[in-house]
Amino acid sequence: MKNVVYVIMFLLFFSSVLFSQTIWLDEIDLSAIESGWGSPHANKSIEDNPLTIAGKTFERGIGTHAVSTLLLKLDGKGKSFSAFVGVDGETKSEKASIEFFVLGDKNVLWQSGVLKINDEAKKIELDITGIKQLGLLVTGSTDGIDYDHADWCDAEIELIENVPLSNLVTKRGIEPYILTPKPSDNPKINSAKVFGVRPGNPFLYTIAATGKRPMSFGADNLPDGLTIDKTTGQITGKVEQRGDYTVTLTAENEFGHAERELLISVGDKIALTPPMGWNSWNCWACAVDDAKVRASADAMVSSGLVNHGWTYVNIDDCWEIKPDAPEPELQGEARDKDGLINTNKKFPDMKALSDYVHSKGLKLGIYSGPGPLTCAGFTASYKYEEQDAKQYAAWGIDYLKYDWCSYNEIAKDRSLPELKKPYSVMRGALDKVPRDIVYSLCQYGMGNVWEWGAEVGGNCWRTTGDITDTWASMSRIGFNQAGHEAYAKPGNWNDPDMLVVGLVGWGPQLHPSRLTPDEQYTHISLWSLLASPLLIGCDLSRMDDFTLNLLTNDEVIEINQDPLGKQASRIYEQDGKQIWVKELEDGSKAVGLFYVDTRERKSPPDYFDWEKKDKTTITLNAADIGITGKFSVRDVWRQKDIGVFENSFQTEAPYHGVALLRVAGVKEKMD
Ligand code: GAL
């Protein structure tokens, strides 16, 4: 008998050794991790450096950024979890403060307490027997997520039996699905209905139209000084006389004729509708060069984006000389003898580049900052604002993103006068040059910039820190815009940062956006409702049909570009559902019904979607949006009328997705 017991014990021991499996956290599909900034890396920090906590380097693990969540499905097959956790030292910032949590089925099994930059790594050793779902969470403690680089080092999970890695994570994302019908062969004009220009400054407006080519364009009643190129639809010239001019645009092809009115307003205001275009940062970051910018301009035309009103091709950071850079192509004299800024070798001829972009009917943007250096350490405009504005105008630049960064060292404090000062200085410099340059303030929302961005002459201002291609980042930024609507108007826009659909990656390596298709519909719908500048952040030369569909629905774009220039307000928020409404010029309303499911995060379990529902029903009460009587509802993504309703309308929205509608009161017929 004794022997039998020994044999059984031996077999149990042997089978547990034989069948147990150790999984390193760095082996799992990292796209399952949501991080508040950047992309998590295996065996590297969030910024791709060796994992280092308080000077100690670890070979294995995951580098992520608060708020970071990962939910693992163990189904009771777990045995133990161990790791060392702490703040990665790469930022060297005292501001870093994070807290790690391990949760098992909604219970906190372990928590680190607040960890700071030089705190030793904390060891975790946990029995996870019987746990069905294991949640790994990093929060930004109580002071937000700035500099919160977080490492899970030597992180191992022991299982009682073999489980394929892919079964451990909830595969994010379902197949992309296209909702919008392709534009027809008939001509249709899609470009903005209003356009502002300053008297005497160079004018460029390209008629954006879909329909079969060849197409011939016209513009009746153009003010003196403007002409149209009938084959390209580009209207160019200069108008000296202030005033509002109503022009009739036409487009014609073998299938028919289209007309649309355009109001040209010659006065002090530009950017009368939110700027639409592309920016190099979210895809290429510092890997940007002249060839990539030209390729983007080419792709904007060849993909057809240009036919939907996409216009700006904006170079972000890294075109200037980088003092002390090891790379030869970035070295050189920062400025010439007159103080005019030089480009680095990746941009051999900025004027030629701008001519190239303009020849396609597009516009070119550039980037600088009020400090001595840009965020990536390249030459910026401090004390050379006038020379820089002059140089941009001479090159033919149409858009300037002006990024605070090293002005931190110049500003005495964060008082309002200090925050405003550098932006007013550059405004003054831009006002001296004979060119319309859209002025985009970038200082991440400090001092409630939305309250005074217009006062310092900004056409738009970033209201937040950097976006990244995760639900946590995009949804936090987007849905936090509630309350800013009072400050948006033609010529002055809140900017919740650039779009993260398509291939992104902060270069040179790119990856498909980690947002699910439904999250991408939410992203584009919300940014349109918010009347936000729309700056595509992906590689335009490699867009798939899904991405192109997201960016070329003219009814969605029309909501963003509506001449009234109102930003949507949130009118409902309950049970993870939100309703946003934007007033439109024709008296109708754009309405977004979102299934956001961002429950208030009061405690660690709230960070996880333990029981995710695929869809939910949302009810729109007509009275809540000021409509009485009957109203019509149109599905904007599908470009289809749904019907006429009374009092309320109900529809389903997918998890993290949206139903985007256009709703209008219906006048009852008199008998
Ligand atoms: C950040 C800015 C980003 C990008 C980057 C360039 O401060 O928010 O959008 O411009 O600098 O270094």
Side-chain angles (χ1 to χ4, degrees):
M1 186 63 194
K2 224 173 171 190
N3 282 351
V4 175
V5 171
Y6 281 141
V7 169
I8 291 173
M9 280 174 65
F10 174 77
L11 282 176
L12 279 175
F13 171 76
F14 186 70
S15 66
S16 84
V17 170
L18 191 68
F19 298 116
S20 79
Q21 182 196 9
T22 300
I23 284 177
W24 292 85
L25 203 58
D26 49 85
E27 292 171 330
I28 65 151
D29 177 356
L30 296 191
S31 72
I33 303 177
E34 296 259 354
S35 60
W37 183 85
S39 303
H41 288 126
N43 308 322
K44 289 282 174 66
S45 70
I46 190 86
E47 284 194 303
D48 220 11
N49 296 309
L51 294 163
T52 311
I53 302 173
K56 184 167 188 261
T57 306
F58 294 83
E59 292 280 312
R60 300 200 75 155
I62 282 175
T64 182
H65 193 287
V67 171
S68 171
T69 55
L70 171 63
L71 196 60
L72 297 170
K73 284 188 294 178
L74 298 180
D75 289 332
K77 291 171 189 151
K79 200 168 162 193
S80 65
F81 173 67
S82 60
F84 289 91
V85 294
V87 177
D88 195 287
E90 66 191 339
T91 67
K92 302 186 175 55
S93 171
E94 298 293 333
K95 289 190 189 144
S97 71
I98 52 184
E99 200 164 2
F100 290 78
F101 296 87
V102 182
L103 292 99
D105 300 332
K106 299 192 189 173
N107 299 313
V108 175
L109 305 178
W110 185 90
Q111 83 188 73
S112 63
V114 177
L115 295 178
K116 299 269 194 185
I117 186 91
N118 290 319
D119 291 343
E120 301 274 318
K122 278 212 168 174
K123 186 163 172 51
I124 309 175
E125 233 168 12
L126 283 175
D127 181 347
I128 52 170
T129 310
I131 298 288
K132 289 203 170 58
Q133 300 197 75
L134 187 73
L136 302 183
L137 168 69
V138 189
T139 67
S141 76
T142 50
D143 66 346
I145 62 163
D146 289 353
Y147 302 97
D148 288 349
H149 297 211
D151 296 341
W152 297 90
C153 298
D154 289 346
E156 269 183 285
I157 301 166
E158 238 193 293
L159 302 170
I160 52 174
E161 61 181 71
N162 268 324
V163 177
L165 279 181
S166 57
N167 288 7
L168 277 179
V169 293
T170 314
K171 193 77 202 122
R172 285 171 45 75
I174 47 167
E175 283 301 299
Y177 59 98
I178 289 176
L179 294 178
T180 305
K182 281 217 179 335
S184 85
D185 283 336
N186 291 18
K188 179 170 163 285
I189 298 175
N190 303 309
S191 38
K193 292 177 182 158
V194 286
F195 185 73
V197 64
R198 296 195 177 96
N201 284 356
F203 183 102
L204 172 63
Y205 176 97
T206 303
I207 301 177
T210 43
K212 184 119 191 269
R213 266 45 182 184
M215 195 175 278
S216 89
F217 297 94
D220 296 338
N221 301 324
L222 278 177
D224 282 350
L226 296 185
T227 52
I228 178 160
D229 179 321
K230 293 201 156 90
T231 46
T232 61
Q234 292 171 23
I235 304 173
T236 53
K238 279 178 189 177
V239 191
E240 301 294 343
Q241 201 61 42
R242 285 172 175 265
D244 283 349
Y245 304 87
T246 304
V247 175
T248 305
L249 305 177
T250 60
E252 213 168 295
N253 68 7
E254 60 176 294
F255 293 94
H257 173 93
E259 275 188 23
R260 174 139 152 174
E261 285 201 340
L262 165 70
L263 180 79
I264 298 178
S265 179
V266 184
D268 298 320
K269 285 206 150 203
I270 62 167
L272 298 184
T273 61
M276 287 175 66
W278 172 86
N279 173 294
S280 57
W281 187 252
N282 290 354
C283 52
W284 302 122
C286 277
V288 67
D289 59 23
D290 178 283
K292 290 194 172 80
V293 176
R294 282 172 194 252
S296 296
D298 292 346
M300 202 174 263
V301 176
S302 63
S303 66
L305 281 174
V306 68
N307 302 332
H308 301 270
W310 298 93
T311 305
Y312 289 93
V313 176
N314 291 353
I315 308 165
D316 206 276
D317 207 347
C318 309
W319 60 268
E320 317 87 334
I321 298 293
K322 184 171 187 180
D324 308 324
E327 302 90 339
E329 80 263 25
L330 306 181
Q331 297 166 1
E333 289 297 324
R335 295 178 176 277
D336 72 8
K337 60 178 187 353
D338 300 319
L340 294 180
I341 191 155
N342 289 323
T343 56
N344 62 45
K345 296 190 184 61
K346 297 195 298 167
F347 288 89
D349 189 341
M350 202 60 98
K351 177 73 172 72
L353 178 58
S354 108
D355 288 346
Y356 183 78
V357 170
H358 291 143
S359 74
K360 295 178 174 280
L362 305 172
K363 302 190 176 189
L364 185 67
I366 215 161
Y367 166 99
S368 188
L373 295 176
T374 67
C375 296
F378 291 65
T379 308
S381 300
Y382 184 53
K383 293 200 166 155
Y384 288 94
E385 294 83 359
E386 294 211 352
Q387 285 98 326
D388 284 359
K390 213 168 125 191
Q391 183 62 277
Y392 302 152
W395 282 337
I397 298 294
D398 306 293
Y399 191 110
L400 171 66
K401 172 172 168 184
Y402 205 50
D403 194 348
W404 175 271
C405 257
S406 75
Y407 196 80
N408 253 342
E409 300 147 27
I410 311 290
K412 289 197 215 86
D413 51 40
R414 298 284 176 99
S415 62
L416 276 187
E418 284 296 288
L419 290 174
K420 289 179 187 176
K421 191 158 82 188
Y423 289 98
S424 299
V425 171
M426 184 47 103
R427 176 73 269 165
L430 290 173
D431 284 343
K432 289 190 181 146
V433 300
R435 192 167 182 89
D436 287 349
I437 299 180
V438 172
Y439 187 31
S440 155
L441 318 187
C442 177
Q443 47 84 290
Y444 342 113
M446 290 186 290
N448 291 357
V449 62
W450 44 92
E451 290 169 6
W452 49 266
E455 188 192 309
V456 297
N459 296 115
C460 48
W461 43 82
R462 276 268 297 275
T463 52
T464 76
D466 288 15
I467 197 168
T468 189
D469 57 320
T470 64
W471 171 252
S473 167
M474 185 277 289
S475 66
R476 183 173 47 86
I477 288 178
F479 292 108
N480 276 345
Q481 299 307 309
H484 297 163
E485 58 269 23
Y487 307 99
K489 58 180 186 299
N492 308 105
W493 310 103
N494 292 303
D495 174 4
D497 208 2
M498 301 171 290
L499 304 176
V500 280
V501 299
L503 285 175
V504 294
W506 295 266
Q509 299 302 326
L510 306 185
H511 61 260
S513 171
R514 288 173 292 161
L515 298 177
T516 65
D518 287 323
E519 291 168 355
Q520 299 191 42
Y521 277 114
T522 287
H523 185 21
I524 303 299
S525 305
L526 187 54
W527 263 240
S528 293
L529 287 163
L530 292 172
S532 159
L534 295 177
L535 292 172
I536 305 170
C538 71
D539 180 357
L540 295 185
S541 63
R542 287 186 287 161
M543 275 184 299
D544 58 13
D545 289 348
F546 173 70
T547 308
L548 196 60
N549 156 70
L550 284 170
L551 300 171
T552 53
N553 182 317
D554 295 309
E555 296 191 19
V556 176
I557 293 173
E558 204 167 76
I559 292 173
N560 175 267
Q561 295 287 299
D562 187 76
L564 200 58
K566 294 268 188 196
Q567 177 174 326
S569 332
R570 179 164 58 202
I571 59 152
Y572 178 89
E573 186 186 13
Q574 221 176 298
D575 306 327
K577 305 171 193 184
Q578 298 196 13
I579 303 182
W580 290 66
V581 179
K582 181 183 198 289
E583 279 176 53
L584 302 174
E585 196 197 26
D586 67 356
S588 69
K589 324 238 174 201
V591 182
L593 308 178
F594 296 91
Y595 178 19
V596 180
D597 201 18
T598 46
R599 283 137 299 138
E600 220 189 314
R601 286 155 174 191
K602 291 191 187 129
S603 66
D606 299 339
Y607 286 85
F608 297 93
D609 298 316
W610 304 95
E611 299 109 16
K612 173 179 142 179
K613 277 195 281 155
D614 283 345
K615 53 189 176 197
T616 194
T617 301
I618 308 186
T619 306
L620 172 71
N621 289 315
D624 294 347
I625 59 169
I627 292 185
T628 46
K630 293 192 172 155
F631 59 95
S632 64
V633 177
R634 185 167 169 83
D635 179 329
V636 176
W637 279 109
R638 292 182 177 80
Q639 301 186 341
K640 244 188 185 162
D641 290 331
I642 303 180
V644 173
F645 301 84
E646 210 166 347
N647 300 327
S648 68
F649 170 76
Q650 253 193 6
T651 190
E652 278 179 339
Y655 180 79
H656 285 182
V658 60
L660 184 64
L661 312 172
R662 192 149 172 162
V663 177
V666 176
K667 288 213 178 73
E668 304 276 355
K669 279 205 196 105
M670 299 289 219
D671 287 326

